[in-house]
Amino acid sequence: MAKQRTRFPSDMLVLDRDASVPMHRQLYEKLRADILAGHLKADTRLPPTRLMAEDLGVSRNTVITTYDTLLAEGYLESRSGSGTWVATLPADAVTARNAVGRTDAPSLSARGNRMVNQPRDRTIPGHIPFHPGYPEIKGFPFSTWARLLKRHTRYSQEDLYGYHWVTGHPRLKASIAEYLQASRGVDCDAEQVIVVNGTQAALDILARVLVDEGDVCWMEEPGYIGAQNALLSAGARLEPLRVGPAGWTLDDDTLLAPRLIFVTPSCQWPLGCVMRMEDRLRLLQVAENHDAWIVEDDYDSEYRFRGRPIPAMQGLDKAGRVIYMGTFAKTLFPSLRIGFIVVPPHLSEGFKRVASNTGHYPSLLLQAALADFLSEGYFATHLRRMRRLYSERQKVFVGLCQRQLGEWLSIEENDAGMQLVGRFLDDIDDETLWRAAQRQGVNFSPLSRLFFKNPPDHGAILGYAGIDLKAMREGIACLRAAFIEIEAKRAPT
Amino acid sequence: MAKQRTRFPSDMLVLDRDASVPMHRQLYEKLRADILAGHLKADTRLPPTRLMAEDLGVSRNTVITTYDTLLAEGYLESRSGSGTWVATLPADAVTARNAVGRTDAPSLSARGNRMVNQPRDRTIPGHIPFHPGYPEIKGFPFSTWARLLKRHTRYSQEDLYGYHWVTGHPRLKASIAEYLQASRGVDCDAEQVIVVNGTQAALDILARVLVDEGDVCWMEEPGYIGAQNALLSAGARLEPLRVGPAGWTLDDDTLLAPRLIFVTPSCQWPLGCVMRMEDRLRLLQVAENHDAWIVEDDYDSEYRFRGRPIPAMQGLDKAGRVIYMGTFAKTLFPSLRIGFIVVPPHLSEGFKRVASNTGHYPSLLLQAALADFLSEGYFATHLRRMRRLYSERQKVFVGLCQRQLGEWLSIEENDAGMQLVGRFLDDIDDETLWRAAQRQGVNFSPLSRLFFKNPPDHGAILGYAGIDLKAMREGIACLRAAFIEIEAKRAPT
């Protein structure tokens, strides 16, 4: 026989059913902490998922999700035919990778522990980037961008190098307002535009300014993990606003009354569906009934290939309860780190203090260059080119997937967006596929990670916008190999 | 007689003595809100400061500070010989400038209200910039900087334009670690360096990760307003760690036990004193006794003109309880928006999630250029030049002030820093002087704004580092005119 077994001490696992942290995260954190602290020793066999689920009174999917995450991170290992075991960690991992270490340092705050324990969607640099949200980067007009940057990289005016314009450079605010009015039907002037350090910064601000600890937020399920993290970090309790191919479930009576509703109506993340006008009006009514805020994240609405664009909910709202947010991560490039919030007029003054006090505003040099990029027409030209390119890439990508992956994956063209969700024809676990794909050298995002309360759907969120034909073919071949690998493993059982 | 008087309804003012928000801020917010909401109408005469103070049971200084702020912001007006009155606001000011407006929108969270109500130290662009914290900008090597930026403004590697390196570009982290070890005696490796979006971002993160709402923090008094704001926004209760010319009062038994202690030991903001080695060791002991964190803000320690530099407290700490933070705002320029935190090794993994979830990380393009700026020696050269320049400027500035402002102001050379505190020889209110200075076209920062609990000292915090001789002379002439103006007003009474 191989290694000696250690009994699994299942009585030490107590989950808090009323906590705002989803059960699978609680279970993940407890198991991980116990492994790192040495309470769960290497070569302890974990109970089978079904038994563990019964013991804890949670769904089996919760346990599967948890085991898979810990397997992916190397805390657990799967031994062929004999289940799941605590892995032997490198000696320094226990101290170095431990969020709550064994120094004499004080402990983090409860809030800090929430913040360090939010999951992070990792992408592996160098792998074929089917991870969603990546625009075409090689096609970006870098020489123009370099010229605009250089134009401002000199001592021209004090206001570009000092401590001014905490809610954004006035010219950039004006350009954004103009663009949003014309392209997105957003009803705003420059003063209402708050330039921030990217989408996550916007979420980090709004989660705190709009909700208190313990407040209920309706969060799309499946929905953007960054928004989930920001809301949970701020102490919110998430209630699932279910989204499926048919749209948003706006009449779920089981949900607690919300203080805030987070939606991506122009192109739902990750499903890509668009909220119909009548649902937008209904959602506004629902929010009014609850006196709730709506946060409308319009992260990639520019990429709409067919059909008429539907104006932003912000433009339909007369009460000032919709806070609109957007980003240049998808239209220029992610590491630019410039996004924006549009606040109702009565909040624009207060947000100066919020920006100033949180420090969530980006370099004025970049803002000045971006203002020129918008006002001199480069932005519109680049968008037009990208819209055409992504539309073509989507067709090619779907065709290739259908031909190469059709045995396992169902995927269809969509009217909008930069990524598609492929559904499995068979009962495949997306985290298992993800691990196989990592070994094959390709990134994608598992759909199940975007569920926080209900049993997750499994699928592959596949970004196609930033990938040329050659890389697309290579990546799909890698995915094919990953499917074959997990199929081979499943066969013997 | 001129306008009709409206009675002041003093019974509607109730301040909360136990709140963590200082009394003068509470009073400011209540008066401002009442004016904006129309409860306090234009042409209402406010009670004299002494009566108001007695009515409310607060110090007269509290009332003076509040009136002065509201006068400066145009909510109140002072009528010669007849006291202080509610001003007539432009019609749109009441709606547009109101942080809590009269729309149908939901209210902000309690936390949000704290965040929008933190004061903001305004500087007026175009005025002679004696505001503190401004480095020399014209002398910055912009052509080098433009060349380094251009080097990275092309599609070279995926990792510079995607969603990677949330705690900083690896080369920048390594350069910062190397520099801090060599120059500041900080004990760290690259993994411990978390690159953030400036000093305020560092404070915004640390306030949340280290303390919970209601936790006590020792904050230097007088002390950095940005740190006060971040801590108060996070719900902390501030206790004053008094600092005077003789140093830090580390044995104040009246202070509640802290969870966190904020200090600027290398060059106290704003007084410029340096914490002696024995006090550093004592403070570490105090923190250990309370199991408290220490946040060491080393914002401008590079500018030390005489004497041996004292190593950072972080390097003296063996327990991992000191979190070190710094910025490139003073060494390059403020709007670069790049700062850093050095965390104990056991927290570096957790801070990846914090950075990812708060979005508090700056553009990778700027980080790559900054890494080159450091590693290719430009940073060291620039610092040497600036240290020499600021040392000369300080001498000239002090000489000019002594000659031109000696009737009112006492100011002396200091061993370190980029600003000096001038003390008044007479009983001058620094907010009154500030308003007169604004009319004369010169910025500075009133000392009293940095007090949050005890009766404030008054003085002028004067930045001299970013100002050439011509502007220095002009600015000092403006200050002289401001002193003469307020002296003339005081004379008749």
Side-chain angles (χ1 to χ4, degrees), chain A residues 361-423:
Chain A
Y361 49 99
S363 161
L364 286 171
L365 167 64
L366 297 178
Q367 292 190 47
L370 180 58
D372 290 353
F373 194 77
L374 265 75
S375 66
E376 295 175 23
Y378 300 112
F379 183 67
T381 306
H382 181 60
L383 267 187
R384 268 198 306 277
R385 287 184 50 223
M386 292 301 110
R387 204 178 286 123
R388 209 158 46 223
L389 180 71
Y390 298 169
S391 169
E392 286 160 16
R393 281 190 174 166
Q394 202 198 62
K395 278 201 199 75
V396 174
F397 182 73
V398 169
L400 283 171
C401 285
Q402 287 172 345
R403 277 196 298 280
Q404 300 290 319
L405 309 174
E407 295 156 62
W408 308 280
L409 196 75
S410 156
I411 191 166
E412 306 209 343
E413 286 184 38
N414 193 19
D415 292 347
M418 299 163 65
Q419 48 274 322
L420 295 166
V421 175
R423 305 279 185 166

Side-chain angles (χ1 to χ4, degrees), chain A residues 104-107, chain B residues 203 206 210-211 216-218 220 231 241 248 250 258-265 275 279-298 312-325 341-344 347:
Chain A
D104 297 327
S107 58
Chain B
L203 293 165
L206 294 176
L210 304 181
V211 300
V216 170
C217 297
W218 288 4
E220 293 176 332
L231 291 167
L241 178 61
W248 284 254
L250 296 178
R259 270 292 288 165
L260 182 149
I261 303 172
F262 176 87
V263 280
T264 51
M275 196 185 288
D279 282 345
R280 291 177 188 230
L281 296 171
R282 254 177 81 211
L283 182 57
L284 281 169
Q285 189 58 54
V286 168
E288 189 180 325
N289 296 346
H290 291 297
D291 193 25
W293 293 99
I294 292 176
V295 172
E296 176 180 27
D297 183 1
D298 205 16
M313 289 190 63
Q314 195 270 3
L316 306 171
D317 163 43
K318 297 303 165 221
R321 68 173 69 253
V322 176
I323 311 264
Y324 179 93
M325 54 178 278
I341 305 173
V342 177
V343 300
L347 291 181

Side-chain angles (χ1 to χ4, degrees), chain B residues 223-462:
Chain B
Y224 183 50
I225 194 97
Q228 293 182 36
N229 287 339
L231 291 167
L232 289 172
S233 289
R237 298 167 61 189
L238 302 188
E239 286 276 75
L241 178 61
R242 298 302 304 267
V243 195
W248 284 254
T249 307
L250 296 178
D251 51 3
D252 183 347
D253 292 339
T254 67
L255 303 185
L256 295 173
R259 270 292 288 165
L260 182 149
I261 303 172
F262 176 87
V263 280
T264 51
S266 297
C267 181
Q268 204 271 337
W269 179 277
L271 301 182
C273 45
V274 177
M275 196 185 288
R276 293 167 307 173
M277 181 58 93
E278 56 267 37
D279 282 345
R280 291 177 188 230
L281 296 171
R282 254 177 81 211
L283 182 57
L284 281 169
Q285 189 58 54
V286 168
E288 189 180 325
N289 296 346
H290 291 297
D291 193 25
W293 293 99
I294 292 176
V295 172
E296 176 180 27
D297 183 1
D298 205 16
Y299 64 100
D300 77 350
S301 61
E302 275 309 330
Y303 302 118
R304 191 169 173 81
F305 311 125
R306 279 172 295 276
R308 279 171 53 87
I310 295 179
M313 289 190 63
Q314 195 270 3
L316 306 171
D317 163 43
K318 297 303 165 221
R321 68 173 69 253
V322 176
I323 311 264
Y324 179 93
M325 54 178 278
T327 176
F328 290 99
K330 320 292 181 193
T331 46
L332 275 77
F333 46 84
S335 73
L336 180 66
R337 315 279 321 130
I338 299 184
F340 48 87
I341 305 173
V342 177
V343 300
H346 72 285
L347 291 181
S348 64
E349 190 63 27
F351 266 72
K352 286 186 187 160
R353 290 162 188 246
V354 172
S356 175
N357 295 331
T358 60
H360 259 318
Y361 50 99
S363 161
L364 286 171
L365 167 64
L366 297 178
Q367 291 190 48
L370 181 57
D372 290 354
F373 194 77
L374 266 75
S375 66
E376 296 175 22
Y378 301 112
F379 183 67
T381 306
H382 182 59
L383 267 187
R384 266 197 308 276
R385 286 184 51 221
M386 292 302 109
R387 204 178 287 123
R388 209 158 46 222
L389 180 71
Y390 297 169
S391 170
E392 286 160 15
R393 281 190 174 166
Q394 200 198 62
K395 279 201 198 74
V396 174
F397 182 74
V398 169
L400 285 172
C401 285
Q402 287 172 345
R403 277 196 297 280
Q404 301 289 321
L405 309 174
E407 296 155 64
W408 307 281
L409 196 75
S410 156
I411 192 166
E412 307 209 344
E413 287 184 38
N414 193 19
D415 292 346
M418 300 162 64
Q419 48 274 322
L420 295 167
V421 175
R423 305 280 184 164
F424 304 133
L425 301 179
D426 208 352
D427 181 25
I428 289 175
D429 180 284
D430 54 14
E431 293 283 358
T432 307
L433 180 69
W434 183 81
R435 286 193 300 280
Q438 291 304 318
R439 286 189 289 271
Q440 299 291 341
V442 61
N443 283 320
F444 75 88
S445 212
L447 178 61
S448 67
R449 288 187 192 165
L450 306 189
F451 286 74
F452 53 93
K453 187 150 187 184
N454 292 293
D457 292 347
H458 286 255
I461 313 174
L462 294 159

Side-chain angles (χ1 to χ4, degrees), chain A residues 9-22:
Chain A
S10 61
D11 49 347
M12 74 192 195
L13 279 170
V14 181
L15 304 185
D16 176 3
R17 201 159 294 279
D18 295 327
S20 64
V21 181

